Amino acid sequence: GHVLVDADYSQIELRVLAHIADDENICNAFRNGLDIHTVTASQVFNVAPEEVTSLQRRHAKAVNFGIVYGISEFSLAEDIGVSRYEAREYIDNYLTNYRGVRTYMKKVVEDAKEIGYTQTLYGRRRYIPELKSSNFNIRSGAERIALNTPIQGSAADLIKLAMIRVEACLNEHYPEAKLLLQVHDELIVECPEEIAPQVAQL
């Protein structure tokens, strides 16, 4: 007589990136309820949004998420099956159109090198001594961590806050519903079937 109710954040890491980087183009896409991958494809491939193909959207999605992780042109080329030259062009076009993201990427790594750590929006720090490594590969990996931690770490902070607030609301309004599991940006609640719509709404 019980069901699972699953709720997840929509594009949480890209929304956090839009906020931290204060990038006008991404913020506008989210404010206007547009599909962020189609918007990115339109800008990366220089076509109108309605002309974006499913393949272009898939490639843009890989670029969107790759940028969040500091992806290299080599890794992007491998991921989506294009040449390194094409992958470099995709990344360059992205950073030309999303200038706030480009500025953020540069500044966050520079700041982390200077102070030795990076942090989430809520102040949780991650120390990265490897940024001073003489080994290029170790240093590059550390730069990707510096780029990603404020985004992924802040998203993790937000889901923790959501867990606390959802549980408090469930206890108050639907005590027979239980917060069961958190999976990345999803919360899974178990509840009697007859109150599932109300729990989903909450």
Side-chain angles (χ1 to χ4, degrees):
H2 284 60
V3 294
L4 298 176
V5 177
D6 178 16
D8 72 282
Y9 277 108
S10 168
Q11 317 282 12
I12 188 169
E13 289 180 357
L14 292 177
R15 290 175 192 271
V16 170
L17 172 63
H19 173 75
I20 291 178
D22 195 23
D23 187 283
E24 197 178 335
N25 282 339
I26 306 181
C27 287
N28 284 340
F30 281 127
R31 278 191 201 107
N32 295 317
L34 303 176
D35 176 75
I36 189 66
H37 304 312
T38 300
V39 171
T40 297
S42 165
Q43 297 186 342
V44 166
F45 298 108
N46 200 24
V47 295
E50 58 275 12
E51 291 172 15
V52 169
T53 66
S54 58
L55 181 65
Q56 286 173 328
R57 186 185 178 279
R58 265 201 315 279
H59 284 181
K61 187 175 182 178
V63 175
N64 271 332
F65 287 114
I67 291 289
V68 171
Y69 294 99
I71 200 167
S72 68
E73 62 198 65
F74 178 78
S75 297
L76 181 63
E78 289 272 296
D79 286 354
I80 61 177
V82 297
S83 69
R84 285 181 69 176
Y85 171 79
E86 286 173 288
R88 176 79 259 156
E89 194 176 19
Y90 294 172
I91 292 170
D92 287 345
N93 286 351
Y94 179 99
L95 295 174
T96 299
N97 284 290
Y98 296 128
R99 293 190 180 159
V101 175
R102 184 176 62 192
T103 303
Y104 160 76
M105 289 173 73
K106 194 168 180 238
K107 185 174 182 341
V108 75
V109 172
E110 284 172 0
D111 289 353
K113 282 179 179 172
E114 192 176 313
I115 60 177
Y117 63 85
T118 190
Q119 63 184 2
T120 71
L121 287 169
Y122 292 90
R124 268 192 316 123
R125 290 182 183 180
R126 180 164 183 179
Y127 288 88
I128 318 172
E130 298 85 356
L131 285 167
K132 295 196 182 330
S133 173
S134 57
N135 181 305
F136 174 80
N137 287 336
I138 291 173
R139 201 169 59 250
S140 295
E143 287 175 5
R144 286 194 294 277
I145 289 169
L147 265 177
N148 180 248
T149 295
I151 301 162
Q152 204 171 26
S154 296
D157 291 346
L158 287 167
I159 196 77
K160 301 294 186 295
L161 286 169
M163 290 168 76
I164 292 165
R165 291 174 183 174
V166 165
E167 185 173 53
C169 284
L170 289 175
N171 288 342
E172 185 181 346
H173 300 289
Y174 306 107
E176 59 274 60
K178 299 292 172 220
L179 181 57
L180 204 63
L181 198 62
Q182 174 239 335
V183 186
H184 300 301
D185 62 352
E186 302 177 49
L187 293 183
I188 299 171
V189 172
E190 185 179 54
C191 69
E193 192 165 2
E194 61 270 16
I195 61 166
Q198 297 93 304
V199 170
Q201 186 62 42
L202 181 146

